[in-house]
Amino acid sequence: MKHLIIILTFIAFTGLVALISWYKTKEENLSTKEGYFLAGRGLTGLVIAGSLEMTNLSTEQLVGQAGQSYSTNMGAMSWSVNASIALLALALIFLPKYLKAGITTIPEFLEVRFDRTTKQIISFLFLLGYMLTYLPTVLYSGALAFNQIFHLDQLFGITSYQSIAILCVAIGVIGSIYAIFGGLKAVAVSDTVNGVGLLIGGLLIPILSICILGNGSFLAGIQDFITNVPAEKFNAVNPANALPPMIPWPVLFLGMLFNNLFYWCTNQSIIQRTLAAKNLAQAQRGAVFTAFLKLLDPFFITICGLLAYRFFGDGLANSDLAYPSLITTVVPNWLLGIIAAVLFGAILSSFNSALNSCVTLYTLDFHRPLFNQTASDAHLVSVGKRVGTGLAIVSICVAPFVSNAPSGLYDFLQECFGFYSMPILAIVLVGFYTKRVPACAPKITLVVHVILYSISKFLPLNVHYLYVLSVLFPVDLALMLLIGKLKPRATDFILEDSKAVDLTPWKYVKPAALTCFILMLCVYALFSPIGLAR
């Protein structure tokens, strides 16, 4: 009976998301390029915010951040809280220029600013990162976490590997339906509904945990939590010489900030939602709303690691079991199915968003310019669906075999993104703010950065890798500017207004951004030696 209730509530919530997504998109014209890849440029701020939050949140964040705080302290929250600054930069600096150019992909802007070769190099790097690492890893890690939490292998009497393989297929097929057949609008709508569920369901876990600690009293539970968890666990401000998985405080203003600017302001799977906004005002609302949402992450993700420490002490064999163990301990059976559906939605969101971005990058940046320059919109959409189906099948087939990879492979692959993240950010910023830097500058910078980053991997540097990015990003910027001085382009670059959308900014964008920044400082103060870590 217990398992039946879990399954029925899971199916009900997942079905509700699918029904709402279908209803909201059934009148959409998906035969045009903008209709399929950019949701007809009709997304509103709330939909953008929900989709951005859910695209970012997956099992890596839900399980990983809680596991990191369980084994260290609240410093893991910086990946979310620090992202608010990047999102405010997206709203105030990047979006006005992106929407003015009327682009569909980030590499498309680089073609406008530099040349087609630069665009295709960056598109290839994005596609390589998504195809070879992100899509299969999202499927595998999502299936692994889902199985850890709900023990589907025990429920159905199968091996753990079989359970993970089945879950990879389920996540891949359902995610593909949204991304391939519904286009960006279906992805964004489903993300928004799942985002509401994640926010409610995610907050319920710490609330239920605290109530259990207080024998039914929330206030008594908070008192128990603060009293019985060591004060240093609440600290999010770590020493400057801290090593991974801890985060040194200086990198909050350097390497981590640069990394977040790359992720939130130039990463195609993130940016595509904002490029699909009705106008600049709605795009800015979406970015700023997401910045506020990131300030909530510590209170329903990172804090769960400390709550797990209160419940289990040092008794967990693996820190990544902190979040799953807490859920199965505090969530009642009747609610477990809904929590399962919410987590399933978070996993789906990361997969279908990345898949939709891969399809967009290939179709618009490679297929049309290289193979069929006169292709109609309907043909491009058809090609996109076929490519998406192929990518999904490959990802589903590869995902289960990630279990055979060496321990820590995912962390290694994530760190490998440093090979191109900083130069891409530097190239976009230089493209914005200079007029004479030539097309050869980004190519030279990419090569030099890869060489320097590779050298850093072989040097006996006992420093956090974010310090390496802290140095290399300014080097990338300086190199591009130096090339611009030594070999400037013949004419000034002028960014023309494409008239794609209304560029009137949101009138409250600056006050809202300032409020968000102040709240971010308050969150850091709460989890510091002047707050709960006294």
Side-chain angles (χ1 to χ4, degrees), residues 74 77 234-237 298-299 303 523-529 532-533:
M74 283 294 292
M77 78 175 198
F234 288 96
N235 192 16
V237 184
F299 299 99
I303 200 71
V523 172
Y524 270 112
L526 178 65
F527 296 106
S528 76
L532 295 176

Side-chain angles (χ1 to χ4, degrees), residues 132-372:
L132 298 184
T133 62
Y134 193 69
L135 285 170
T137 306
V138 163
L139 286 178
Y140 172 75
S141 62
L144 181 65
F146 203 82
N147 189 58
Q148 282 179 338
I149 294 171
F150 301 105
H151 306 293
L152 297 186
D153 49 349
Q154 299 174 20
L155 179 62
F156 295 107
I158 56 179
T159 67
S160 177
Y161 184 85
Q162 290 171 330
S163 175
I164 288 170
I166 292 170
L167 282 167
C168 286
V169 173
I171 297 168
V173 170
I174 297 174
S176 301
I177 291 172
Y178 284 113
I180 296 169
F181 299 104
L184 182 62
K185 182 68 176 287
V187 172
V189 172
S190 65
D191 286 353
T192 303
V193 180
N194 279 317
V196 174
L198 180 65
L199 192 60
I200 296 172
L203 286 170
L204 272 177
I205 294 169
I207 290 172
L208 290 170
S209 302
I210 290 171
C211 286
I212 290 173
L213 291 176
N215 293 316
S217 170
F218 185 76
L219 293 178
I222 290 178
Q223 183 64 40
D224 175 275
F225 181 45
I226 295 173
T227 303
N228 291 292
V229 173
E232 61 267 19
K233 298 285 285 184
F234 288 96
N235 192 16
V237 184
N238 293 314
N241 61 349
L243 296 174
M246 298 183 78
I247 300 167
W249 71 263
V251 302
L252 301 179
F253 311 99
L254 298 169
M256 177 175 280
L257 177 60
F258 302 156
N259 189 74
N260 278 333
L261 285 171
F262 160 75
Y263 179 82
W264 291 101
C265 302
T266 67
N267 185 358
Q268 181 66 31
S269 67
I270 292 294
I271 290 298
Q272 196 164 334
R273 281 109 191 88
T274 57
L275 299 182
K278 281 184 175 181
N279 49 49
L280 175 59
Q282 291 293 341
Q284 289 179 322
R285 282 193 185 99
V288 174
F289 291 166
T290 310
F292 279 103
L293 288 175
K294 300 314 293 178
L295 299 181
L296 293 175
D297 286 5
F299 299 99
F300 73 94
I301 299 176
T302 325
I303 200 71
C304 288
L306 272 62
L307 286 164
Y309 184 85
R310 173 67 185 94
F311 274 84
F312 313 115
D314 295 318
L316 296 179
N318 185 337
S319 62
D320 285 339
L321 294 175
Y323 193 72
S325 300
L326 188 66
I327 287 178
T328 54
T329 300
V330 305
V331 177
N333 291 335
W334 63 269
L335 189 57
L336 207 53
I338 295 176
I339 299 297
V342 167
L343 291 177
F344 191 71
I347 300 164
L348 272 184
S349 175
S350 296
F351 178 78
N352 61 30
S353 297
L355 184 62
N356 183 267
S357 296
C358 282
V359 169
T360 304
L361 286 168
Y362 172 79
T363 306
L364 301 184
D365 291 349
F366 286 100
H367 184 82
R368 183 171 62 180
L370 294 179
F371 305 117
N372 193 342

Side-chain angles (χ1 to χ4, degrees), residues 430-446:
V430 169
F432 281 169
Y433 293 108
T434 66
K435 296 180 179 181
R436 288 296 184 100
V437 174
C440 66
K443 304 176 186 66
I444 295 172
T445 301
L446 275 167

